[in-house]
């Protein structure tokens, strides 16, 4: 995939090819996918990776708008995409109530840095406002919920990494990983296992959460050192109490399908001062 400036920012030229293995998600492609979805020509994932389905959708918009059908996302195509086709991120200050390509790009960047706001939809609502404020706190900016140049610059930095190593909470193969899934962000790793399978503490820590959370169902969270915490969701049973100190490998609950889950599995998250971090690289 080649992606570069076309004429001048915020215009965008996209040349489509099969993404290379491990290709990094691009927030501009994600914003394009959000706009294509809103135009009813794309029902694929908002994953920031270009591919045949995204290209096909671009051509569909071009056919409908009676402009040159070349699959290139230039100014005419951006215009044809309507209110989510423009403007590019960084061309205006964003706040609650606004809509656009830049809002979708903001939502995607926030999510990949561990501050998801729900569905990627290009609509700056209360969830996006909350995510911006959490991110601003995380990077030490004033928490005003307004995404201006300082917030945009901070979003360009690499995501947080974990200061600690972890042991697997279950010794089974994982399925879904940390990253975009459908039109939302998946902020952890899924380990499918039979209901009742013991879930193990990924590191020594103190129990901070043992309750039902929306979507997560029965949830346990452990606080570790250096601002790290681990989260265990969809449990069928909780085996620890708040304030309890647990050793690594201690059973903290049992696998279940509580909350929003299509089948029994553990949804596991690593958080660093509140930011969701990809746990995959920190397992010993
Ligand atoms: Zn999950």
């Amino acid at each position: 995939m080649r992606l570069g400036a076309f004429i001048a920012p915020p215009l965008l030229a996209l040349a489509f090819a099969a993404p290379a293995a491990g290709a990094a998600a691009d927030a501009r492609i994600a914003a394009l996918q959000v706009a294509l979805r809103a135009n009813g020509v794309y029902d694929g994932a908002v994953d920031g990776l270009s591919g045949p389905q995204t290209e096909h959708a671009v051509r569909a918009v071009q056919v409908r708008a009676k402009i040159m059908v070349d699959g290139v996302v230039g100014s005419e195509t951006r215009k044809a995409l309507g209110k989510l086709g423009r403007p590019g991120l960084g061309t205006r200050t964003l706040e609650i109530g606004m809509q656009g390509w830049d809002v979708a790009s903001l939502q995607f960047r926030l999510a990949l840095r561990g501050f998801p706001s729900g569905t990627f939809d290009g609509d700056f609502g209360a969830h996006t406002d909350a995510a911006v404020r959490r991110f601003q706190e995380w990077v030490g900016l004033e928490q005003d919920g307004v995404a201006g140049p300082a917030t945009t610059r901070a979003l360009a930095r690499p995501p947080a990494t974990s200061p600690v190593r972890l042991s697997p909470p279950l010794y089974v193969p994982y399925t879904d990983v940390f990253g975009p899934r459908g039109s939302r962000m998946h902020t952890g790793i899924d380990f499918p296992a039979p209901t009742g399978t013991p879930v193990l503490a990924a590191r020594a820590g103190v129990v901070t959460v043992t309750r039902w959370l929306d979507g997560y169902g029965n949830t346990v969270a452990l606080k570790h050192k250096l601002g790290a915490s681990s989260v265990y969701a969809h449990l069928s049973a909780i085996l620890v109490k708040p304030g309890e100190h647990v050793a690594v490998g201690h059973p903290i609950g049992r696998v279940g399908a509580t909350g929003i889950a299509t089948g029994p599995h553990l949804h596991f998250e690593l958080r660093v001062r509140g930011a969701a971090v990809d746990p995959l690289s920190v397992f010993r």
Side-chain angles (χ1 to χ4, degrees):
M1 184 199 74
R2 182 170 61 82
L3 184 123
F6 174 72
I7 305 178
L11 304 184
L12 176 69
L14 301 170
F16 291 95
D26 188 313
R28 290 170 296 179
I29 303 284
L32 170 64
Q33 290 166 333
V34 168
L36 293 169
R37 261 182 181 256
N39 279 272
V41 293
Y42 180 73
D43 62 1
V46 179
D47 58 6
L49 302 174
S50 65
Q53 199 180 349
T54 306
E55 182 186 12
H56 181 81
V58 169
R59 289 176 185 273
V61 165
Q62 292 173 332
V63 168
R64 199 165 68 187
K66 297 185 170 64
I67 56 177
M68 201 206 296
V69 182
D70 57 5
V72 174
V73 185
S75 59
E76 289 283 291
T77 305
R78 295 277 290 263
K79 195 173 168 191
L81 285 166
K83 65 177 190 235
L84 293 183
R86 294 180 294 183
L89 186 65
T91 59
R92 58 178 180 164
T93 293
L94 297 173
E95 59 188 326
I96 198 159
M98 298 175 90
Q99 293 178 318
W101 174 289
D102 47 2
V103 175
S105 178
L106 172 72
Q107 291 172 327
F108 194 77
R109 284 165 207 250
L110 283 167
L112 263 66
R113 274 151 192 79
F115 300 90
S117 57
T119 306
F120 301 127
D121 57 6
D123 203 337
F124 199 129
H127 293 296
T128 303
D129 179 81
V132 168
R133 287 171 194 268
R134 292 200 310 274
F135 176 71
Q136 289 173 326
E137 180 184 24
W138 203 90
V139 294
L141 292 171
E142 187 194 347
Q143 282 185 74
D144 57 7
V146 176
T151 300
T152 306
R153 270 199 307 277
L155 280 168
R157 293 184 213 139
T161 54
S162 175
V164 298
R165 306 285 295 169
L166 300 173
S167 291
L170 277 176
Y171 287 89
V172 299
Y174 56 84
T175 52
D176 287 10
V177 295
F178 180 95
R181 185 173 70 179
S183 58
R184 300 168 71 92
M185 177 70 186
H186 184 239
T187 48
I189 297 185
D190 291 345
F191 295 91
T195 297
T197 306
V199 174
L200 313 175
R203 190 182 173 91
V206 180
V207 179
T208 52
V209 174
T210 57
R211 64 187 178 91
W212 182 279
L213 296 177
D214 277 350
Y216 286 65
N218 292 322
T219 303
V220 169
L222 304 179
K223 186 169 172 241
H224 311 293
K225 63 177 187 180
L226 301 173
S229 54
S230 53
V231 180
Y232 311 79
H234 308 312
L235 302 172
S236 58
I238 290 175
L239 304 177
V240 288
K241 298 255 183 303
E244 196 176 328
H245 289 256
V246 295
V248 61
H250 183 88
I252 55 88
R254 294 187 182 281
V255 171
T258 56
I260 301 171
T262 50
H265 73 281
L266 172 70
H267 170 87
F268 176 81
E269 291 189 10
L270 168 62
R271 300 234 167 201
V272 177
R273 294 190 293 115
V277 171
D278 185 352
L280 204 52
S281 60
V282 303
F283 287 127
R284 307 171 200 274

